[in-house]
Amino acid sequence: SHIASSFQKRSLENPKSLILAMEKSGKFSAKKLEMMVSSLEGFEAPKLTLEQYATPPSISAMVISQIISETPDYKKMRVLDLGAGTGALGLAAIAGGFAFLTAVEIENVAIEALIRNVEAAGVEEQVEVIQADVRHLQAGVLGDICLMNPPFGTSLNEGIDMEFIKKGLELTLGPLYVIHKKTVTKNL
């Protein structure tokens, strides 16, 4: 319909409007969440050496929807996003109602896009961005749950996926949610 398409167009220009709409209604909407993630800036020139790739908005919304359905106290929880990239997964968690996000990313261009996405979503008070190599983070709890869409550990970076997973377990109180490629899950 005309109303839906004009709403979607406005929303794509301003991710903050969708977050505010979900907060105001008090209802979680996977579709609005997917639309918000679609409005975020992605990778301009992904780096093959870092296995950079965007988490598709539909996947981000599906993962966050599933976590919300399984987690009664999610609105009180801190999320750790390791290998955050431009923020699709972590910002979907914030838009879905999680309390706080710590996003860890190594690469400068992705960090700059992540910060722009945080600002565009208007959630600066709920997000901490850390530029670091995930593998070198100091032990300590940074979140109640951990989300990641890590490098898959293909032949270029074999085993890096397991390093991300181990680090996620060290830095999180609760569950770890990992998006992974089935063909490289031999160590899981």
Side-chain angles (χ1 to χ4, degrees), residues 10 15 27-28 33 37-39 53 59 63 65 85 120 128 130-131 147 150-151 153 161 177-179 181 186:
R10 276 197 317 272
K27 295 180 182 177
F28 174 78
L33 185 59
V37 175
S38 295
S39 71
Y53 50 90
I59 299 293
V63 168
S65 297
E128 175 185 25
I130 298 173
Q131 184 168 13
L147 306 173
D161 53 339
Y177 296 90
V178 181
I179 297 171
K181 188 174 183 177
K186 64 183 176 210

Side-chain angles (χ1 to χ4, degrees), residues 11 41 63 65-67 69-70 82 123 138 144 163 177:
S11 299
E41 182 180 337
V63 168
S65 297
Q66 183 64 37
I67 295 169
S69 73
E70 298 172 351
L82 296 179
V123 293
Q138 297 297 314
D144 298 305
E163 292 182 60
Y177 296 90

Side-chain angles (χ1 to χ4, degrees), residues 3-74:
I3 295 171
S5 63
S6 64
F7 173 76
Q8 185 173 9
K9 185 175 182 184
R10 276 197 317 272
S11 299
L12 289 175
E13 294 169 7
N14 184 359
K16 185 175 181 177
S17 66
L18 276 169
I19 293 174
L20 292 173
M22 284 191 286
E23 287 174 357
K24 186 176 179 180
S25 72
K27 295 180 182 177
F28 174 78
S29 166
K31 190 63 180 167
K32 285 182 184 174
L33 185 59
E34 184 177 341
M35 289 168 51
M36 188 284 298
V37 175
S38 295
S39 71
L40 298 175
E41 182 180 337
F43 289 106
E44 262 185 51
K47 292 190 172 55
L48 181 62
T49 56
L50 295 176
E51 294 188 55
Q52 289 179 327
Y53 50 90
T55 304
S58 60
I59 299 293
S60 294
M62 181 181 67
V63 168
I64 298 306
S65 297
Q66 183 64 37
I67 295 169
I68 286 171
S69 73
E70 298 172 351
T71 315
D73 294 336
Y74 74 93

Side-chain angles (χ1 to χ4, degrees), residues 151-153 159-167 180 187-188:
F152 290 147
I160 196 170
D161 53 339
M162 291 308 299
E163 292 182 60
F164 268 66
I165 290 168
K166 287 175 186 172
K167 191 54 78 168
H180 211 296
N187 294 320
L188 294 179

Side-chain angles (χ1 to χ4, degrees), residues 79-84 87 89-91 101-104 146-149:
V79 174
L80 174 61
D81 184 358
L82 296 179
L89 201 52
L91 290 173
L101 168 66
T102 300
V104 181
C146 181
L147 306 173
M148 70 174 79
N149 188 355

